Amino acid sequence: MTSNFIKRFGTDDPRLGNLITPYLTSKECQIALVGFPHDEGVRRNGGRVGAAKGPGVVRTLLPRIGTLYNSEYNVDLTKLLVADAGDIDKNLNFDESHQGLSEKVTDLVNKGTIPFVIGGGNDQSYSNWKGLIQGLLTTRKSLDGVTVINIDAHLDVRPLTPSGEAHSGSPFRQMCEDLLFKSSGGNFLEFAAQGHQCSQEHWEYVQRQNGGEILSLSHLRNQELSISKQFAHILNDSSEIIFVSFDIDSISSADCPGVSAPASVGLTAEEAIQICFEAGKNSKVKLIDVSEFNPDIESNRTGRLVCLMFYFFLMGFAKRIETSI
C-alpha cells in the first residue's frame, strides 16, 4: 500500500499511505484498522447487501487521503503508530466471523491498542462491544462503568428473528440483555436517532435500560451548541471507558448515499468528521466502529467520507497525545 502511494504522490505530500503499516504483534501500535467484510446480518434484517465490500473499498481509497501534517488544524500525524490489522476472514459463516471479530478486538484492547473497525453490517457492534469488555477484563478484576454511544438514525434494538438469529438491527438489544452489560456498569446512549425510523416499542425499550437515553436528531438541532460540541460534552461527562459506534446511515444521503437505508435527513458530512475528531481527542474512547458502508449502492463519495472519518479520528488522537504530554 505504501509503495504504490509514494509512487503516486512523492515525498513532498505524504498521506495516510505513508503512515499506516502492517500490524505486527511484536510492535507497539496505538490505533489499529480492522475490517469486517460481512453483511449476512443486513440480509437477515431485510436490507440491501453489499456492505461486505466496504473494508476493501476503504483500503483502496485510504492511502491517498489526508495530509500527515494538517496546516488548517495544526496537527502532525507523523509520530502516530497506526497499523492495519487486516480483515476478519470473509469466508467464515455468521457465527464464526463474529467470534473472530470479538477475539481480534479483545487482543488489540488487551495490548492497549484502540481498534477502529470498518464494516460490514451494524451487527458487528455487539461483537465489538464483547471484545472490548473481554479485553478490559483481561487486566482488571471488574469494570465500573462502560458507556456505549450509538450514532444512528435507528435504535438497533430489534428482537432476534423468529428462529433466534442475530442481525444488523439487533446488536444493542443483544448488548443490553447480556449479563456483562449490567455487571460492567453499562450505560447506553442513542445519538441522532430519527423518530420516523424508530418504533415506539423500541424507543421505550431503550429508555428502560440502565442509563438508556435517546438524543434525537431534532433535539440536537435545537440546541445552541453545534452537534460535535454537544458530542464532546457527552464524552466528557461519561464514564471512563467509551465505545463509539457510528452507523453512517445517520448521515444525510446528500453526503452519504452508499448505505443500505439512505437518510433523506441526517447529520452532515462535516458533523460526522467533527464527531470523529472529538472521539479521537477524548482519552476515554477505547473503541470505535463504522458500519453499513455499501459500495454496491455508491462507492467513491461515501468511501472517501469513511476514510475522512478515520483521518479525523487520527487527528483527534494526535491532539489527545499532545495534551497528555
Side-chain angles (χ1 to χ4, degrees), residues 152-222:
D152 199 339
H154 312 93
L155 301 176
D156 284 346
V157 292
R158 294 182 181 276
L160 303 183
T161 68
S163 59
E165 292 181 320
H167 53 84
S168 64
S170 67
F172 296 109
R173 180 177 288 249
Q174 293 171 264
M175 179 193 75
C176 289
E177 296 181 359
D178 192 310
L179 292 177
L180 275 175
F181 180 69
K182 294 180 176 62
S183 66
S184 63
N187 292 285
F188 183 38
L189 171 66
E190 301 272 13
F191 189 90
Q194 299 184 28
H196 67 280
Q197 303 211 53
C198 307
S199 76
Q200 181 182 11
E201 181 179 340
H202 297 162
W203 199 278
E204 292 174 351
Y205 175 89
V206 172
Q207 293 175 327
R208 292 195 300 270
Q209 304 313 306
N210 183 42
E213 184 178 2
I214 302 171
L215 296 179
S216 67
L217 181 64
S218 60
H219 170 84
L220 296 169
R221 288 267 182 257
N222 288 329

Side-chain angles (χ1 to χ4, degrees), residues 246-272:
F246 206 138
D247 184 335
I248 62 171
D249 69 18
S250 60
I251 306 169
S252 168
S253 59
D255 291 333
C256 185
V259 295
S260 173
S264 299
V265 296
L267 299 169
T268 66
E270 176 68 20
E271 288 166 341

Side-chain angles (χ1 to χ4, degrees), residues 80-96:
L80 296 188
L81 303 175
V82 184
D84 184 350
D87 285 344
I88 305 305
D89 187 345
K90 65 181 180 180
N91 296 312
L92 297 176
N93 66 30
F94 185 91
D95 292 336
E96 292 168 341

Side-chain angles (χ1 to χ4, degrees), residues 40-59:
E40 168 62 15
V42 178
R43 186 197 64 77
R44 293 179 180 182
N45 196 33
R48 295 185 288 177
V49 298
K53 300 175 184 175
V57 171
V58 168
R59 283 194 177 86

Side-chain angles (χ1 to χ4, degrees), residues 69-180:
Y69 186 86
N70 188 306
S71 299
E72 178 185 2
Y73 283 77
N74 191 27
V75 171
D76 184 357
L77 301 182
T78 58
K79 301 298 190 295
L80 296 188
L81 303 175
V82 184
D84 184 350
D87 285 344
I88 305 305
D89 187 345
K90 65 181 180 180
N91 296 312
L92 297 176
N93 66 30
F94 185 91
D95 292 336
E96 292 168 341
S97 65
H98 280 269
Q99 180 64 30
L101 179 59
S102 286
E103 291 173 356
K104 174 72 78 173
V105 171
T106 295
D107 180 63
L108 292 170
V109 170
N110 186 33
K111 290 181 170 66
T113 298
I114 298 175
F116 192 108
V117 188
I118 296 176
N122 208 164
D123 44 289
Q124 69 166 336
S125 296
Y126 175 53
S127 296
N128 287 327
W129 170 81
K130 283 202 303 183
L132 171 66
I133 299 299
Q134 291 161 355
L136 293 169
L137 288 175
T138 304
T139 56
R140 311 176 191 209
K141 291 184 178 180
S142 62
L143 297 173
D144 185 22
V146 177
T147 296
V148 178
I149 304 175
N150 178 36
I151 305 167
D152 199 339
H154 312 93
L155 301 176
D156 284 346
V157 292
R158 294 182 181 276
L160 303 183
T161 68
S163 59
E165 292 181 320
H167 53 84
S168 64
S170 67
F172 296 109
R173 180 177 288 249
Q174 293 171 264
M175 179 193 75
C176 289
E177 296 181 359
D178 192 310
L179 292 177
L180 275 175

